[in-house]
Amino acid sequence: MKAHALSLLLLCTAFLAMPASLDAQTDGDSVKTGAIEQFVEATIGIDEVESASWEALYEDLAALAEQKIDLNSATREDLAALPFLSEQQVEDICEYVWRYAPLRSLMELAMIESMDAQTRKLLLQFVYIGDAAEGRTPSLKELLTRSKSQLTLTGAIPFYERRGDKNGYLGYPYRHSLRYTLTAGPQLKAGFVASQDAGEPFFANRNGWGYDYFTAYVEAAKMGRVKRAVAGRYRLRMGQGLIMGGDISFGKLMTLSHLGRTDTRLRGHSSRMDADYLHGVGATIALSRHVDMTVFASYRNIDATLDSTELSNGQTETFIKTLLKTGYHRTPSEMNRKNNATEAMGGGSITYRGRRLSASVNALYGGFSHALRPDTQALFRRYQARGTHFWNASVGYGYRGRMWGLSGETAVSPASGPDGDNLALATLNMLTLKTHQDLTLMALQRFYSYRYVALHAQSFSEGTAIQNESGLYFGAKWNATRQLSLMAYADYAHFPWARYLTDHPSHAFDGHFSAVWQQGGVNLTARYRLHIREKNNEDKTALVNITEHRARLQMAIDAARWNLKSQLHIVKAYAPQSSFGILVSQNIAYKWRNATLNAGLAYFNTDDYDSRLYLQEPDMRYTFAAPMLYGHGIRHTLFADIALSKALMLRAKLATTNYFDRDHISSGLQQIDHSSQTDLQLQLHWRF
């Protein structure tokens, strides 16, 4: 209790002791991050996809917002980097700028018919109006002279002790990271990120360089025919992501905003996620006005579980049993799996993009230092990837009419399983129809063979992999009035082969409806989701339905200095036993000169894990917080965002979860022998 009180006192003292003469810098920054948080929560669906997806999306958007795009000199590739813009909106913005440049005000975006009010509001966080392009590429010396740097230091202090902290973890219980970014206009960007998870050794064991995780990259753009080049750690997305989708994963709501984009996108890996990135070089080169070529090469260390077998000649063969993507190296066993295998990969894409028609050919080839041999005795693992070398190839297409669009991608790979001489197919196709200015309809069909293998694919799916799935998705987005917008989708999926906890062919249905009403500073949101899937019964003799009903009601009031946000979340699950959960939360934020103070209180009561709930709350820069809550208890937070000067900003967050129904939290090495959990996070952000 003393530690909690001391931390609270420090936060309050820092808030009250701020100089009154500082500019109100935090207000604009808070508005920016708040708009991004609202977009992630509203469109990706934090109940819909794995936390890693919405965390990565938020981190990417926050990084993009730090380097705003000048609309007067923006290229199609610049705007395509913003995932919330549809293909139609990207083309319409480019055409408007080409016709009426130079733009004088961001209010001109209202003249673009395909831009609804919600998208315009979000776009303002990523663009600005600059001088008309001079038509000359500045020299490296000029770029560095005009460069800007940002340094972010983040740390987390737990006021509790896990069992692993006493005996089991190699390091101390604190989590911390640093991030440095240098930008020199739109032509040059470089970054460096170092991160340490709680329990990982620092300057010890196999972390002799200090931090457990590092990433660094240099990214250049608009250099003659070289549209973009990147070196170091980077990510690449080709087409619809059926063979390479290491950019951003989209949920089903996000698909309605994305609307058929088929871009090939290279960008530096600035995330703390130790997975789904490449390490080497890549470049996109303009072969002609309408044809681009992207090439890449990668060689990286990977985490894996290794095993060995003795051959008939007496030698021992080592192979990969499991590929790991968690990035945790807290225990001796986790540390022994760090960087104990390598992956090499190369490939490219050739893309044609005309006024209405686009087409692409994509291919990659890669391999591991040891053969991949997963345990395929379990039925659901029968067709998992295996072997030393892998390849994928695909063709993509797109056509954009005045009121409709058609796009898709079809990919092939060597078939997995006993007979690997054949090819396996994956295809995704979507049709979008804009019946009038305010209504957009979408239909999406996908078929992913259970023998198709693509280790780096990320695309639209109900499952966790681009494999063993076929389905139909129908979505609609309607701006009914200036104040009211409606969004809905229905998705049916069939899985022809066994899945985890499902030993027979199965089905799933996912339906969603949301309504958003906004008038001035008042926002009302209502959302409902029905999710039905199948899994084994207790005897594994048949399948039973797992049904979830999730409803959310939210009211937000944004005044000049005050911001109020009230939420009610309800879950009714049948798994197959009935499970009910409810969460009520209230956030109050107050803006005063150079600071924002936010206090939050949430009450939750769920029968079990099946009726778990997620609560979105403010957090550190580049971090999207939506803790999962189940059981019975309360969660309270105190968050402060303070501008210490024009260049230096401080964020602090104190969060406590108190459980009424248990005397310990979690299990294993993560177990806390107490009914409450309190964390303090601190962050310094310096612009220079």
Side-chain angles (χ1 to χ4, degrees):
M1 288 298 295
K2 291 182 179 179
H4 299 181
L6 177 60
S7 301
L8 182 60
L9 180 62
L10 288 174
L11 283 176
C12 295
T13 303
F15 177 72
L16 295 174
M18 295 176 297
S21 60
L22 298 178
D23 293 339
Q25 188 127 339
T26 306
D27 287 352
D29 192 61
S30 297
V31 168
K32 174 175 64 180
T33 56
I36 297 174
E37 287 174 352
Q38 292 170 14
F39 169 74
V40 174
E41 184 184 16
T43 58
I44 197 170
I46 59 177
D47 295 331
E48 180 185 325
V49 296
E50 295 181 356
S51 62
S53 297
W54 39 258
E55 286 174 357
L57 173 60
Y58 178 78
E59 193 167 20
D60 288 340
L61 288 173
L64 287 169
E66 297 288 356
Q67 188 181 14
K68 289 192 174 185
I69 301 169
D70 177 7
L71 278 182
N72 278 324
S73 61
T75 64
R76 186 195 178 282
E77 288 72 21
D78 294 331
L79 295 172
L82 303 176
F84 54 86
L85 292 179
S86 68
E87 184 90 9
Q88 181 74 45
Q89 290 168 338
V90 170
E91 297 295 342
D92 288 351
I93 294 173
C94 290
E95 183 174 354
Y96 184 88
V97 173
W98 179 76
R99 285 177 177 271
Y100 303 107
L103 274 62
R104 302 297 183 186
S105 168
L106 290 173
M107 298 301 293
E108 293 186 53
L109 292 172
M111 304 296 293
I112 301 174
E113 290 188 359
S114 61
M115 294 287 292
D116 57 90
Q118 187 176 5
T119 304
R120 286 199 307 271
K121 179 181 178 182
L122 182 64
L123 182 61
L124 296 181
Q125 317 306 321
F126 299 89
V127 299
Y128 72 100
I129 299 297
D131 296 330
E134 298 177 0
R136 181 181 69 87
T137 301
S139 65
L140 179 61
K141 182 178 180 180
E142 290 174 320
L143 286 174
L144 294 177
T145 301
R146 301 199 300 259
S147 66
K148 299 179 181 179
S149 295
Q150 299 184 68
L151 178 65
T152 306
L153 304 175
T154 307
I157 303 171
F159 293 112
Y160 49 84
E161 190 174 48
R162 297 183 177 94
R163 286 190 174 180
D165 299 328
K166 302 175 186 177
N167 183 20
Y169 290 152
L170 298 172
Y172 47 74
Y174 310 110
R175 186 179 79 249
H176 52 93
S177 65
L178 66 88
R179 175 192 296 263
Y180 171 76
T181 305
L182 180 144
T183 57
Q187 289 85 15
L188 182 64
K189 181 179 180 181
F192 173 83
V193 177
S195 177
Q196 193 81 7
D197 287 315
E200 295 177 337
F202 191 59
F203 283 108
N205 205 283
R206 294 176 60 182
N207 293 339
W209 290 93
Y211 282 94
D212 180 77
Y213 169 77
F214 292 94
T215 182
Y217 65 93
V218 177
E219 187 177 326
K222 302 180 181 179
M223 301 182 300
R225 287 190 175 271
V226 179
K227 288 189 170 182
R228 186 171 299 273
V230 63
R233 292 190 175 181
Y234 63 96
R235 284 184 283 171
L236 169 65
R237 181 180 179 89
M238 293 192 290
Q240 301 288 352
L242 294 187
I243 70 172
M244 175 66 72
D247 190 30
I248 294 176
S249 297
F250 301 114
K252 295 173 184 177
L253 276 177
M254 185 71 172
T255 299
L256 281 172
S257 298
H258 200 243
L259 288 180
R261 295 263 295 272
T262 58
D263 306 294
T264 295
R265 172 71 177 166
L266 272 170
R267 58 193 310 251
H269 178 62
S270 59
S271 171
R272 293 164 296 172
M273 293 182 60
D274 194 10
D276 298 321
Y277 65 83
L278 304 173
H279 189 181
V281 294
T284 298
I285 303 166
L287 300 181
S288 67
R289 181 181 177 185
H290 298 292
V291 180
D292 293 342
M293 177 179 68
T294 297
V295 293
F296 72 94
S298 170
Y299 181 85
R300 56 165 294 204
N301 296 319
I302 58 174
D303 292 1
T305 301
L306 300 182
D307 205 344
S308 60
T309 183
E310 188 173 338
L311 302 178
S312 58
N313 59 7
Q315 295 183 344
T316 300
E317 181 186 19
T318 301
F319 59 90
I320 299 173
K321 191 173 182 179
T322 309
L323 297 173
L324 302 174
K325 295 185 178 183
T326 64
Y328 287 131
H329 307 112
R330 302 162 298 184
T331 64
S333 59
E334 289 177 347
M335 185 60 75
N336 289 336
R337 300 175 191 136
K338 180 179 180 179
N339 297 338
N340 56 3
T342 60
E343 179 189 31
M345 188 167 26
S349 171
I350 295 179
T351 302
Y352 167 82
R353 186 173 297 279
R355 179 175 176 81
R356 297 199 178 275
L357 180 67
S358 63
S360 65
V361 178
N362 317 290
L364 63 84
Y365 181 84
F368 299 107
S369 55
H370 307 290
L372 177 60
R373 294 182 188 171
D375 183 0
T376 57
Q377 291 184 355
L379 194 61
F380 74 94
R381 292 197 182 104
R382 180 72 53 84
Y383 292 99
Q384 283 191 351
R386 69 186 77 179
T388 305
H389 302 285
F390 302 87
W391 65 267
N392 295 92
S394 72
V395 293
Y397 70 93
Y399 181 82
R400 183 178 59 86
R402 183 173 177 270
M403 302 297 290
W404 63 280
L406 186 66
S407 61
E409 182 179 13
T410 299
V412 294
S413 76
S416 63
D419 183 12
D421 296 331
N422 298 322
L423 296 179
L425 180 73
T427 184
L428 182 150
N429 305 277
M430 65 181 74
L431 171 68
T432 59
L433 177 64
K434 199 172 184 67
T435 58
H436 56 81
Q437 180 178 346
D438 299 317
L439 177 62
T440 302
L441 304 175
M442 169 182 279
L444 183 149
Q445 170 271 334
R446 76 268 193 193
F447 169 79
Y448 310 142
S449 168
Y450 61 85
R451 304 186 67 181
Y452 177 75
V453 173
L455 295 174
H456 296 276
Q458 290 183 23
S459 192
F460 185 99
S461 70
E462 166 70 22
T464 57
I466 307 304
Q467 186 184 40
N468 185 32
E469 179 177 335
S470 60
L472 289 173
Y473 167 95
F474 298 96
K477 185 178 180 181
W478 182 30
N479 297 318
T481 67
R482 286 179 174 268
Q483 295 79 26
L484 179 64
S485 62
L486 306 174
M487 192 179 295
Y489 70 73
D491 181 56
Y492 168 80
H494 171 65
F495 310 101
W497 190 255
R499 306 170 68 210
Y500 178 64
L501 298 180
T502 308
D503 292 340
H504 306 277
S506 59
H507 307 267
F509 174 81
D510 189 5
H512 174 97
F513 174 80
S514 64
V516 178
W517 185 87
Q518 183 156 354
Q519 177 70 51
V522 180
N523 178 288
L524 299 176
T525 302
R527 300 175 64 179
Y528 169 74
R529 184 189 184 202
L530 169 64
H531 193 202
I532 305 172
R533 61 191 189 279
E534 295 178 311
K535 76 170 186 178
N536 294 331
N537 61 8
E538 292 184 0
D539 300 328
K540 297 184 179 181
T541 57
L543 298 180
V544 295
N545 282 341
I546 307 299
T547 304
E548 288 183 0
H549 300 271
R550 292 183 176 269
R552 289 173 176 249
L553 296 175
Q554 176 181 302
M555 180 179 69
I557 301 175
D558 191 4
R561 293 186 178 274
W562 291 93
N563 181 281
L564 305 177
K565 183 179 178 182
S566 306
Q567 298 182 83
L568 171 64
H569 305 172
I570 297 175
V571 175
K572 183 67 174 179
Y574 301 90
Q577 294 80 18
S578 177
S579 178
F580 178 79
I582 184 171
L583 185 150
V584 181
S585 68
Q586 178 66 57
N587 275 80
I588 302 175
Y590 178 70
K591 301 175 184 178
W592 180 71
R593 294 189 179 180
N594 55 318
T596 298
L597 185 65
N598 185 300
L601 178 65
Y603 168 82
F604 59 94
N605 192 353
T606 77
D607 292 337
D608 49 37
Y609 179 80
D610 292 328
S611 53
R612 62 194 177 277
L613 294 149
Y614 296 85
L615 175 66
Q616 188 272 320
E617 58 189 29
D619 207 86
M620 302 296 100
R621 188 183 301 266
Y622 309 112
T623 304
F624 183 80
M628 180 181 65
L629 302 171
Y630 70 93
H632 186 201
I634 61 171
R635 179 173 174 85
H636 43 93
T637 60
L638 182 62
F639 175 84
D641 191 358
I642 306 164
L644 302 176
S645 69
K646 289 185 177 181
L648 188 63
M649 279 147 281
L650 169 68
R651 284 190 176 186
K653 177 181 176 181
L654 187 68
T656 299
T657 305
N658 289 314
Y659 292 93
F660 304 147
D661 59 347
R662 67 195 71 174
D663 58 7
H664 68 275
I665 302 171
S666 194
S667 60
L669 295 179
Q670 288 288 93
Q671 181 168 316
I672 303 168
D673 294 324
H674 202 276
S675 61
S676 67
Q677 178 178 348
T678 300
D679 293 272
L680 173 66
Q681 296 184 72
L682 297 170
Q683 185 180 78
L684 277 175
H685 183 70
W686 181 29
R687 297 170 177 167
F688 56 99

